[in-house]
Amino acid sequence: MLNDQRTTTLAIFCKVVDNFGDIGICWRLARQLHREHAIAVTLWVDDLASFRRIWPSVATDAAVQVVDGVRIMHWPDQDGTFQPGDVADIVIEFFGVDIPPAYIAAMAQCEPRPAWINYEGLTGEEWVEGCHTLPSMHPRLKLTKHFFFPGFTPKTGGLLRERGLLDARDRFQADSAARAAFLAGVGVTADEMMGRVVSLFCYPHAPIAELFAAWRDGATPLTCLVPQGVAREQVSAFLGADPVPGAVATHGGLTVRVIPFLSQDDYDRLLWSCDVNFVRGEDSWVRAQWAGRPFIWHIYPQDENLHHVKLRAFLQKYAENLDSLIEFSLRWNGVEVNAPAAWPALWMSLQAQSPAIVARNVEWQTRMLANGDLVSHLLDFARSLR
Ligand code: TRH
């Protein structure tokens, strides 16, 4: 057992492979561990510039800094000397990154050994239940690491969810002035707020031009809010200008507006404010599930279309009988379907199914809440290893 007399220490090792999901998830995890469980967290991260995009108070030139109570260490390479005293009680390698060899050697000298956890990616596939918490012995050292899988069932680690998140969301969504003030703060006009408002976060290969054309020709005015840097080419083609924050153009029923790339907390508010959210990867996808608004997921692409299997596994769990949502999601992700509908028809049928989608989201949240929150599961599991 961990010694309850002193603060538990925990280290997270994060490499930004691409995009914002790696640091996005690690930062969310780190903050929650510290704020809600009083853990002394050290976050090792190789790319402070990406970090700063989602959390602007992070300095990009500091080897060590403390932000929101979390110690952040810049992790430029695998060098460094470590003693057992440098090793945390719980060591998390994110998505299987290689921890510096000297740190691992120091882990092997600790008594008791640290709880070593490989935090894996979220998927709705069934095999996850069999792999969650499985051990993996180090080939040479007396050390065992364990796999930890987030997931959608009680036999997985559950989903990241901060204490009070849903209350904060409910208060925000019940307060039309708060929504108006937030949207105005990112440049949305009062007229735009009166129509439908959609947020767009997707990879560049999504069929964005087709969807823009459907919205442009639609009967209902729609404003699409795009954080800076997302779908740059397609947005710039629609605008006929550089997609910098504040850039806006209207063609037919569609207004496309570029907003600043937001902090993680403001990004939540964006999801809570919009009628429909287009999200991607892992972390924004989970946040959209907690936002309680219809969402369309653009999955991170993998070789040999492996991601199509993951997409279908999620839709099977989440979207049963929601045919419009399933078809829209498959088409948005480039999956071939029989007798594909045109984008205007797809969008209209998604809108028509919106009440059922919202009702499903409520049921889904009840199920996900019953699974408990990921950070509590992670700590319980780590403590059981010591
Ligand atoms: O950026 P992503 O595409 O990250 C991806 C996925 O995590 C993928 O599974 C992983 O393998 C790959 O990275 C390496 O999408 P994701 O996961 O939604 O992460 C985006 C983060 O950025 C999330 O924490 C929300 C945050 N964000 C903001 O803070 N502000 C914003 O304006 C936006 C659009 C996002």
Side-chain angles (χ1 to χ4, degrees), residues 104-378:
I104 295 180
M107 280 163 72
Q109 291 167 32
C110 291
E111 204 48 65
R113 300 281 190 276
W116 183 6
I117 289 173
N118 178 357
Y119 185 112
E120 282 288 351
L122 174 63
T123 171
E125 292 159 290
E126 300 297 328
W127 58 262
V128 167
E129 290 190 348
C131 295
H132 177 54
T133 71
L134 276 189
S136 159
M137 311 262 274
H138 192 278
R140 285 178 298 104
L141 302 170
K142 278 186 129 186
L143 274 175
T144 304
K145 109 173 128 189
H146 289 81
F147 292 93
F148 188 92
F149 283 85
F152 302 110
T153 68
K155 291 185 181 159
T156 67
L159 298 177
L160 278 170
R161 172 179 45 82
E162 298 84 357
R163 197 181 291 152
L165 174 71
L166 301 191
D167 288 344
R169 177 207 65 189
D170 288 346
R171 279 197 302 279
F172 184 90
Q173 289 182 336
D175 181 354
S176 53
R179 173 183 187 260
F182 172 76
L183 288 176
V186 295
V188 181
T189 66
D191 270 359
E192 289 164 4
M193 287 177 215
M194 306 276 280
R196 296 191 76 67
V197 182
V198 166
S199 75
L200 180 68
F201 185 39
C202 60
Y203 299 109
H205 61 276
I208 300 159
E210 289 88 331
L211 188 59
F212 278 2
W215 285 338
R216 181 196 61 207
D217 299 339
T220 320
L222 185 149
T223 299
C224 176
L225 304 178
V226 193
Q228 184 180 25
V230 176
R232 189 183 293 277
E233 259 178 44
Q234 296 91 332
V235 169
S236 156
F238 185 90
L239 298 173
D242 266 3
V244 292
V248 60
T250 302
H251 299 298
L254 173 63
T255 298
V256 171
R257 173 176 288 285
V258 180
I259 62 171
F261 200 89
L262 303 169
S263 72
Q264 269 190 336
D265 288 352
D266 274 343
Y267 183 64
D268 271 340
R269 292 182 191 101
L270 180 71
L271 298 176
W272 300 345
S273 299
C274 288
D275 299 299
V276 179
N277 293 303
F278 285 74
V279 289
R280 75 183 198 191
E282 179 165 328
D283 192 52
S284 58
W285 173 43
V286 173
R287 302 317 275 183
Q289 294 171 46
W290 295 130
R293 296 284 159 89
F295 66 89
I296 299 291
W297 179 36
H298 203 212
I299 187 169
Y300 186 79
Q302 287 180 293
D303 290 343
E304 296 171 8
N305 285 337
L306 246 184
H307 58 294
H308 290 177
V309 177
K310 294 186 174 178
L311 174 66
R312 285 185 191 279
F314 176 67
L315 292 174
Q316 204 176 5
K317 281 195 157 61
Y318 178 80
E320 199 188 1
N321 298 327
L322 296 174
D323 298 345
S324 305
L325 180 61
I326 294 173
E327 188 178 351
F328 197 105
S329 303
L330 293 175
R331 293 283 305 287
W332 185 244
N333 282 283
V335 182
E336 304 274 336
V337 295
N338 291 331
W343 283 102
L346 271 178
W347 176 248
M348 271 170 55
S349 75
L350 189 75
Q351 295 303 285
Q353 207 165 54
S354 186
I357 297 173
V358 171
R360 173 62 47 81
N361 197 267
V362 173
E363 281 165 33
W364 180 256
Q365 285 186 21
T366 308
R367 270 164 57 195
M368 296 306 110
L369 279 171
N371 290 342
D373 84 286
L374 184 144
V375 164
S376 302
H377 290 315
L378 182 77

Side-chain angles (χ1 to χ4, degrees), residues 31-38 161-164 373 375:
R31 280 200 292 156
Q32 194 185 347
L33 281 160
H34 174 70
R35 203 174 40 220
E36 296 178 18
H37 299 271
R161 172 179 45 82
E162 298 84 357
R163 197 181 291 152
D373 84 286
V375 164

